[in-house]
Amino acid sequence: MWKKALSTLRCPCCRGDLRLVSFESGALGDGWVAEGCLTCAGCRALFPISRGVPMCLTYPTTAATEVVERWPNEWRRAIPDAFSLPHKKPPRGEQEVAESFSAEWLAYDYGNTLWTASTDDRVATFEGECGLKRDALRGKLYCEIGCGLGVTTNHAAEQFGATAWGLDLSAAVLRAAARFGSNDRLNFVQASVFAPPFSDRQFEFLYTHGVLHHTWSTADALARAAALVAEGGALYVWVY
């Protein structure tokens, strides 16, 4: 993640402010955090950052645990013992959904097709759905819930000019960050729509296509997503 993006994030457990601890910047330079963590002084939760992606789920996962266990001792010493991975109960069925889509997206290659359409057609459909033209979101915050490999999230940043966030339950966000991380107006985060690491009324445009019906309650997921949209902003939802 880009360090300047910290001001957008909030603790998904208690909505408190987060502190960024950077361990490694990687090839993108000092402004980028390749490995590190976010900590919340309010609820003492710790969220690892792996390969540029904050892992902001509110319940323990095997992936987050393995990331923390791999930290060398000098990294561990930078974090007070009082902080730990969050331990809330996951929403019903959410872990199974994350595992299923991680398997699907990690087996999917970037290329000329995106699911059942060409990538060019999919991007053109995205533009038509949003009804936006080049630079229409310049200087504004955009979020895609269920971003997958990040193709349309990146398009929102590159063509619409947005400061864009891609949120997904699955490990696809790791591939998205690896592919598009050099864009300093673009960040990806692993998180749930039911506990997003953002403040309410924050985004001028929120987009979610073919995602919310995979949750335990489409209605509740939609209500939670809608709460993130700023007054006067726009929300696009497509479900099947």
Side-chain angles (χ1 to χ4, degrees):
M1 66 171 279
W2 292 97
K3 290 181 179 179
K4 63 183 180 181
L6 178 64
S7 61
T8 305
L9 292 170
R10 295 293 180 271
C11 175
C13 296
C14 73
R15 295 300 183 90
D17 291 337
L18 291 168
R19 172 177 174 255
L20 172 63
V21 181
S22 178
F23 300 145
E24 280 187 0
S25 59
L28 296 179
D30 290 342
W32 173 257
V33 182
E35 303 293 330
C37 69
L38 299 164
T39 59
C40 175
C43 65
R44 316 307 288 177
L46 177 150
F47 306 96
I49 299 171
S50 179
R51 288 180 276 174
V53 175
M55 306 172 81
C56 289
L57 292 168
T58 60
Y59 47 87
T61 66
T62 299
T65 300
E66 289 177 348
V67 166
V68 173
E69 288 177 347
R70 289 196 301 267
W71 285 350
N73 288 334
E74 60 267 29
W75 292 6
R76 294 177 184 278
R77 285 194 291 268
I79 309 299
D81 292 338
F83 291 97
S84 62
L85 292 170
H87 51 272
K88 291 190 174 185
K89 184 178 179 180
R92 186 166 69 247
E94 189 164 279
Q95 289 174 302
E96 290 78 9
V97 170
E99 290 170 4
S100 175
F101 279 96
S102 290
E104 288 190 36
W105 283 119
L106 292 178
Y108 206 92
D109 288 330
Y110 290 95
N112 295 325
T113 60
L114 189 61
W115 293 115
T116 57
S118 73
T119 301
D120 287 345
D121 284 349
R122 183 67 194 93
V123 168
T125 299
F126 169 64
E127 291 184 348
E129 289 171 330
C130 293
L132 297 171
K133 303 298 183 183
R134 182 180 294 270
D135 290 335
L137 294 177
R138 179 72 59 186
K140 297 181 178 180
L141 278 175
Y142 166 98
C143 181
E144 179 172 357
I145 293 176
C147 64
L149 294 177
V151 172
T152 47
T153 320
N154 178 65
H155 194 76
E158 284 198 335
Q159 300 300 319
F160 297 163
T163 297
W165 282 88
L167 179 152
D168 204 285
L169 275 178
S170 79
V173 283
L174 296 169
R175 294 190 64 195
R179 180 82 171 191
F180 302 116
S182 60
N183 185 340
D184 68 357
R185 295 198 315 276
L186 178 62
N187 288 274
F188 294 95
V189 60
Q190 185 181 37
S192 167
V193 66
F194 294 111
F198 307 118
S199 297
D200 286 351
R201 307 287 178 249
Q202 192 164 13
F203 293 97
E204 281 90 352
F205 202 105
L206 191 142
Y207 174 86
T208 179
H209 180 107
V211 172
L212 300 185
H213 56 280
H214 292 294
T215 65
W216 71 273
S217 170
T218 305
D220 285 0
L222 175 57
R224 194 66 203 87
L228 297 174
V229 181
E231 184 174 354
L235 168 64
Y236 179 89
V237 179
W238 187 88
V239 293
Y240 58 85

